[in-house]
Amino acid sequence: MNRHLLSMFTAVALLAVHTCAHAADRPPVESFFAHPDVSFVTLSPSGRYVALLNRLSDSKQALVVRETANLEKVTVVARFDSLRLRHIEWINDQRLTLTLKNTQIEFEGNDDQIAVDRDGANLTHLISGHWDHKQETTGSFIKDRVLTADYMFMDVTHDGSDDIIVGKLSWNNIDQQPQAIHPFRLNTRTRVLTDMLTGPQPELVRDWLFDAADQPRVAVTRGKGRCIVYYRKGQQGPWSEISNRDCLQDEIFDPLMFDNRNTLYVRAGYKGRTALFTFDLDKKTLDKEPFVDIDGFDFTGSVEQDLANKKILGVHFVSDAASTAWIDPAMQAIQKKVDALLPGAGNRVTCPRDCREPAAVVVTSKSDRLPPAYYLYTPADGHIIGLGSTHQAIDRKQMGKRDFLHYAARDGLQIPVYVTMPPDKAAGPRPAIVLVHGGPYVRGGSWEWDAEAQFLASRGYVVLQPEFRGSTGFGSAHFRAGWQQWGRTMQDDLADAAAWAVKQGWADPKRIGIMGASYGGYATLMGLARNPDVFRAGVEWAGVSDIKLMFTDVESDASQDALRYDMKTLIGDPLKDPSAFDDVSPLAQATRIRRPLLMAHGAHDRRVPVVHATKMHDAVRKTNANVEYVVYPEEGHGWRREEDSIDFWKRVDAFLDKNLAHAAD
């Protein structure tokens, strides 16, 4: 293990618990946006041990392991300084693997991977987050060498060995993002690296799916606008094509997992939405009826299985809120008992790998007014013990109610929306915020805890989070309705959300603001330019200001494939009609923005390079003096450093209080 990593990852002997005092009326910014107090709660394969990340009194982090039969038996495995934990998995009951991010390096990827025994011994550095071209690797076997940053963690194995699966990334000579990944098996003690593939194989594979024996059986490629899925019957068998489709125009075919009986589960189109199907690998056909289908929602979720006993237990999914449908009677009984012990919350139960008679299960409990809290439930005696919350200073009484509703856009399209109300009662309409999700072609939220929405609600704002057209999760028609509608009907949906809230009597029409990040930042700028009578102030961070720059900026991480296919379909073609983007680019409309504006950006943002912000700020300042602007020098596309996140939300708090909360016009 190199000295640089050792300086940031050191063993400790004592664990301190971080606590915060409750504010009398307005919870402080830190209670929402500080790094979690407890997170990454994960059971060992047998269920005898639970690993979790604890925040220490000095704001650093420590990885601890507890015995589930006696939680007082605690081992502090390691303490993190400038490294932050991104992912943790048990390799077996003795050993864990951790993915770590150096907060001093902005770029996505460049993660360190280590493995360590549950008592803190035998710590092995597996992948370095630092590029070192002197360590270029050749051949199938590498001993006693730390892999370079062109490797990444993919999965653990499930055979009880000390091995994990890593992928070697490859690039073309143009794109910043890798074009393919190749799987290897890596022993976490000896560092022996073994190629998992032999013979002819598909080219430019973006994703691999492994069966229950940890063999790569499904390969997913993406190129020139086409998504192709290949399958092989056995470890040495030939690869055959099972799906070849236009990635956007055709019905989705998204392989999710193999179960222990060699059944492939696929997310595929059904009645205008996506559902979960089983797939006959011999006939290469979907089952006639879906395994899981949720009326009104695309299937988003995962299958819970008992790996040791080759049994599907149930399916986790999201409709308006997260839930689980259990097939296994024993798990149904456990869920019922847990829900009785933790009423009023969504309680996700997670089994260890051997779930026949689990020693313990982990419960992640959260609601609209409470951030995730973790519990250990032991089915044998029915006891449940709290392990802590991600944000322990949050008081449920200071949080507002959150609902899932619909409103009609001006063309009649029904738009889903999450509404979070302030916790206190009001005699009349209040100030309101339309909080716009990024993407934009993603789902924005769920009913459960949303720190940004609850923070704003705690300041007295009604928070509207529209799943505007173009958002995924609500059927293909809703998704397609947003194609090439940046600044047009997608933008209308946001103004219509504000008008709807006024009509409901919730929002004061003279005190409605708009805010968001990435696409949400773009929509904020366009909202202030197009609808100054609706939106009286705006906050944007990491926002797009010039659509043409998305296609031309050399600092952008958009691939050539995305530029030529996906973005032309979803956003528009800059070659066919370059002037069309002027009407829907905030930069071209900068002189129309006269309302107060807060802008923030990361200096190292590669998704939306900072030139978007600098050009926009300079243009708006020519006609609008009420513009605040901050660049965070160590950040990328969003805030990773705790101090930056807290600083930003303090600025938001002060800006909205000054320009919206008490504004008369």
Side-chain angles (χ1 to χ4, degrees):
M1 189 168 182
N2 64 29
R3 292 182 179 177
H4 183 80
L5 189 67
L6 275 172
S7 69
M8 294 182 286
F9 183 93
T10 54
V12 293
L14 297 174
L15 174 67
V17 178
H18 174 78
T19 60
C20 295
H22 290 264
D25 49 5
R26 283 191 171 189
V29 170
E30 290 83 354
S31 61
F32 295 89
F33 299 110
H35 287 321
D37 297 309
V38 176
S39 56
F40 295 101
V41 180
T42 311
L43 279 173
S44 71
S46 69
R48 293 176 57 199
Y49 305 98
V50 61
L52 56 128
L53 193 68
N54 268 116
R55 182 182 177 91
L56 306 179
S57 58
D58 58 3
S59 296
K60 294 183 174 67
Q61 298 175 310
L63 175 67
V64 303
V65 171
R66 298 173 181 263
E67 292 188 20
T68 57
N70 183 0
L71 289 174
E72 294 183 1
K73 292 185 177 180
V74 182
T75 301
V76 180
V77 178
R79 173 173 167 155
F80 304 91
D81 294 336
S82 58
L83 288 172
R84 297 208 67 80
L85 187 64
R86 291 176 66 133
H87 188 69
I88 180 173
E89 293 263 9
W90 286 88
I91 304 170
N92 50 51
D93 249 36
Q94 175 66 17
R95 197 155 174 79
L96 303 102
T97 186
L98 287 68
T99 307
L100 300 159
K101 174 66 179 176
N102 185 350
T103 57
Q104 297 171 354
I105 300 176
E106 183 278 325
F107 300 120
E108 287 301 316
N110 294 89
D111 295 329
D112 283 281
Q113 194 72 30
I114 68 166
V116 62
D117 290 346
R118 58 178 166 80
D119 61 359
N122 299 312
L123 190 148
T124 308
H125 192 193
L126 303 172
I127 300 174
S128 171
H130 299 275
W131 288 97
D132 184 357
H133 294 289
K134 294 178 181 179
Q135 289 188 342
E136 285 297 330
T137 57
T138 58
S140 298
F141 297 91
I142 302 168
K143 292 185 178 181
D144 298 324
R145 303 184 75 174
V146 178
L147 298 177
T148 50
D150 51 348
Y151 285 83
M152 63 173 286
F153 171 76
M154 294 180 72
D155 203 354
V156 295
T157 57
H158 303 86
D159 56 4
S161 72
D162 292 321
D163 293 359
I164 63 173
I165 300 172
V166 298
K168 189 178 193 321
L169 304 167
S170 61
W171 284 260
N172 55 34
N173 295 322
I174 302 173
D175 298 330
Q176 295 185 31
Q177 297 294 330
Q179 64 176 352
I181 185 169
H182 186 101
F184 290 83
R185 192 171 175 120
L186 176 65
N187 186 283
T188 62
R189 295 188 187 275
T190 65
R191 295 199 187 102
V192 170
L193 187 74
T194 309
D195 198 334
M196 298 183 73
L197 296 168
T198 57
Q201 56 203 259
E203 295 181 348
L204 304 180
V205 178
R206 300 289 186 93
D207 193 22
W208 296 91
L209 207 60
F210 302 90
D211 63 15
D214 303 313
Q215 294 300 319
R217 299 280 300 285
V218 169
V220 181
T221 70
R222 186 181 181 115
K224 296 183 179 180
R226 298 206 67 81
C227 291
I228 305 175
V229 181
Y230 299 90
Y231 160 76
R232 67 175 180 178
K233 192 167 186 178
Q235 184 176 353
Q236 304 297 329
W239 293 92
S240 61
E241 189 178 287
I242 59 174
S243 175
N244 187 330
R245 63 185 181 87
D246 184 291
C247 296
L248 290 172
Q249 299 288 353
D250 296 335
E251 288 276 17
I252 191 171
F253 183 93
D254 182 18
L256 295 183
M257 64 161 283
F258 279 97
D259 70 10
N260 290 30
R261 300 177 186 272
N262 200 36
T263 302
L264 181 64
Y265 291 80
V266 174
R267 193 163 60 98
Y270 180 72
K271 295 184 177 180
R273 54 186 179 268
T274 61
L276 182 66
F277 287 85
T278 55
F279 184 81
D280 189 317
L281 289 163
D282 293 324
K283 297 179 180 179
K284 298 181 180 179
T285 58
L286 293 169
D287 278 4
K288 292 182 179 180
E289 296 297 324
F291 188 67
V292 176
D293 175 44
I294 308 160
D295 189 19
F297 298 89
D298 294 318
F299 174 78
T300 302
S302 60
V303 179
E304 182 91 15
Q305 63 173 323
D306 181 343
L307 288 164
N309 300 290
K310 299 184 178 181
K311 186 178 181 182
I312 294 294
L313 301 173
V315 179
H316 304 294
F317 64 91
V318 180
S319 54
D320 58 327
S323 189
T324 303
W326 293 109
I327 301 169
D328 181 72
M331 292 306 301
Q332 290 177 0
I334 289 174
Q335 183 75 59
K336 185 176 181 180
K337 291 177 181 177
V338 166
D339 289 343
L341 291 167
L342 301 171
N347 302 307
R348 176 167 175 153
V349 177
T350 305
C351 260
R353 287 182 202 167
D354 186 345
C355 205
R356 182 171 37 197
E357 293 180 357
V361 296
V362 164
V363 180
T364 305
S365 180
K366 53 186 176 179
S367 72
D368 56 344
R369 283 179 271 191
L370 281 179
Y374 301 97
Y375 297 86
L376 197 71
Y377 176 76
T378 50
D381 57 16
H383 287 173
I384 193 165
I385 302 174
L387 300 174
S389 166
T390 56
H391 294 86
Q392 294 177 163
I394 293 295
D395 183 349
R396 184 180 185 277
K397 295 177 182 177
Q398 294 178 303
M399 301 299 110
K401 183 181 178 182
R402 184 171 169 84
D403 282 319
F404 178 73
L405 303 166
H406 288 81
Y407 65 91
R410 63 191 66 182
D411 63 357
L413 184 67
Q414 289 292 307
I415 308 295
V417 59
Y418 287 95
V419 179
T420 307
M421 302 297 288
D424 59 315
K425 294 182 179 180
R430 310 170 185 255
I433 299 288
V434 176
L435 183 58
V436 189
H437 70 71
Y441 304 106
V442 298
R443 178 165 172 168
S446 184
W447 168 78
E448 295 79 17
W449 171 261
D450 184 307
E452 294 179 0
Q454 286 292 0
F455 170 75
L456 294 169
S458 75
R459 269 57 187 165
Y461 302 101
V462 176
V463 184
L464 311 169
Q465 293 173 281
E467 299 283 0
F468 48 85
R469 70 191 70 204
S471 302
T472 59
F474 303 94
S476 59
H478 193 80
F479 170 45
R480 289 171 180 263
W483 290 10
Q484 300 188 18
Q485 293 300 310
W486 284 46
R488 299 183 176 94
T489 55
M490 291 169 74
Q491 198 70 40
D492 291 339
D493 291 346
L494 307 179
D496 292 346
W500 171 74
V502 170
K503 188 176 181 180
Q504 302 304 309
W506 302 331
D508 179 350
K510 293 185 177 181
R511 293 186 294 166
I512 299 177
I514 184 169
M515 61 186 291
S518 195
Y519 173 83
Y522 161 86
T524 295
L525 295 170
M526 280 304 297
L528 294 178
R530 280 191 52 183
N531 305 109
D533 55 329
V534 176
F535 300 116
R536 305 304 177 102
V539 179
E540 74 86 14
W541 61 111
V544 172
S545 68
D546 186 350
I547 295 179
K548 285 183 288 188
L549 266 179
M550 297 174 67
F551 290 86
T552 60
D553 192 342
V554 295
E555 294 182 1
S556 171
D557 65 356
S559 69
Q560 291 300 302
D561 198 65
L563 291 169
R564 291 172 182 169
Y565 299 97
D566 295 3
M567 290 172 63
K568 284 184 179 180
T569 298
L570 296 172
I571 302 174
D573 191 336
L575 297 179
K576 287 185 177 179
D577 189 5
S579 61
F581 286 157
D582 291 339
D583 292 337
V584 291
S585 285
L587 187 61
Q589 317 293 322
T591 57
R592 298 171 60 187
I593 296 179
R594 301 298 179 95
R595 296 295 187 183
L597 172 62
L598 170 61
M599 303 176 64
H601 221 95
H604 299 289
D605 193 338
R606 293 194 300 175
R607 183 60 44 84
V608 181
V610 70
V611 63
H612 281 265
T614 56
K615 285 188 173 185
M616 190 70 199
H617 174 251
D618 291 346
V620 174
R621 284 287 295 180
K622 292 178 181 179
T623 54
N624 185 353
N626 198 353
V627 181
E628 299 178 30
Y629 179 47
V630 58
V631 175
Y632 293 106
E634 304 297 327
E635 297 290 5
H637 195 59
W639 321 137
R640 184 185 65 250
R641 294 159 59 92
E642 182 179 64
E643 57 267 37
D644 292 338
S645 181
I646 292 171
D647 176 81
F648 171 72
W649 285 99
K650 284 183 176 180
R651 290 173 185 264
V652 171
D653 198 7
F655 174 86
L656 293 177
D657 192 60
K658 172 186 175 183
N659 295 292
L660 193 69
H662 309 292
D665 182 17

